[in-house]
Amino acid sequence: MTTSNEDKAANAAARFRRKYDLGNAPINDLSDLIEGRLGIDVAIVEMDDGLDGMVIQDPETHQRIISVACTTSAERQRATLAHELGHLELGDFANGGVIDCGARNPEEIRADTFARHLLVPRQGVTEFLEGLDKEHKQLNEADLAHLVRYFEVSPMMILIQLENAGWLAVGQKDAWKSHSTGKLAARYGWSDEHRASQRKAMMPQAPMRIVAEAMEAYVNNLIGLEAVARIRGMSSLDLKAELDDVGIQPKQAALPPTRFGRRK
């Protein structure tokens, strides 16, 4: 029996969650999980219109980096990061060391499906709603808003999983599919939180490992402040103020030994 792309992606996402003991809860910091536990670099960078992310592998060191675009939508950024991770977990071939997610082909659709199941496991949706004593086909708009906030994904991603798990009444998906995260946040009391996530998603961010290595070189007087600032994508003055505020400075260089002559 042939396994569908939906099932392949769902199974891969479930294996990933089991491997890293994630249960069915939301993944609050996907970047930290990928960098800290998988050893894959993550960069948030400015990208051309139409390009949300890509995976690059160094042919010599085999170090992989996932790059995702700066955006006003934190939910889209998380979905893109999960999508790129899906390519790696599903064993998609990297042409010339780069997986460029431009064309819509079966591999791209499968990676999207992986991202949906990774970020919003159907059992997690069911556990959340049952914890609120909700009944199937009896959900209201506030329930949708709570799920969007809880899993930090788009309303459409939630709606697909709700539909697949049998939670929606007839016509609810069509009635709610035009809702944006911003609208739900404004209506149900978490606009400030939503705007803060938008601001964060718009900021470029270098891979944590590279920044840590640059800081190690800086405190040991191997590179200057300007080099670290370029990696961080900020001005030297702003970086200096940040480091001064937390008490980080280069080590003082040891003075050369002084030779004393003996007077006659």
Side-chain angles (χ1 to χ4, degrees), residues 127-181:
E127 290 172 1
F128 179 86
L129 293 173
E130 288 180 346
L132 298 176
D133 294 325
K134 296 293 179 178
E135 300 287 340
H136 284 77
K137 306 185 189 307
Q138 298 295 319
L139 302 184
N140 56 43
E141 189 182 84
D143 297 323
L144 173 63
H146 293 156
L147 283 164
V148 167
R149 180 175 180 243
Y150 183 64
F151 285 103
E152 298 179 74
V153 297
S154 69
M156 182 52 70
M157 192 176 283
I158 294 291
L159 288 171
I160 293 172
Q161 295 301 77
L162 285 172
E163 183 178 55
N164 290 342
W167 281 94
L168 294 181
V170 175
Q172 275 189 318
K173 183 180 177 184
D174 286 337
W176 290 345
K177 67 182 182 181
S178 64
H179 288 348
S180 67
T181 303

Side-chain angles (χ1 to χ4, degrees), residues 1-56:
M1 182 170 128
T2 304
T3 305
S4 69
N5 260 359
E6 177 82 19
D7 289 338
K8 286 179 182 177
N11 291 338
R15 284 195 303 272
F16 184 91
R17 279 185 163 267
R18 286 195 300 271
K19 181 177 180 180
Y20 294 100
D21 299 319
L22 300 175
N24 296 311
I27 303 174
N28 294 323
D29 194 332
L30 187 57
S31 292
D32 184 62
L33 173 66
I34 293 172
E35 291 192 291
R37 299 186 67 182
L38 278 68
I40 300 171
D41 290 333
V42 174
I44 301 171
V45 298
E46 298 285 353
M47 289 189 176
D48 294 336
D49 291 343
L51 182 60
D52 289 332
M54 65 174 61
V55 180
I56 302 172

Side-chain angles (χ1 to χ4, degrees), residues 42-76:
V42 174
I44 301 171
V45 298
E46 298 285 353
M47 289 189 176
D48 294 336
D49 291 343
L51 182 60
D52 289 332
M54 65 174 61
V55 180
I56 302 172
Q57 179 169 300
D58 189 303
E60 294 184 3
T61 66
H62 302 294
Q63 177 65 37
R64 294 170 295 180
I65 180 170
I66 297 176
S67 296
V68 296
C70 297
T71 174
T72 57
S73 171
E75 297 78 24
R76 181 172 180 173

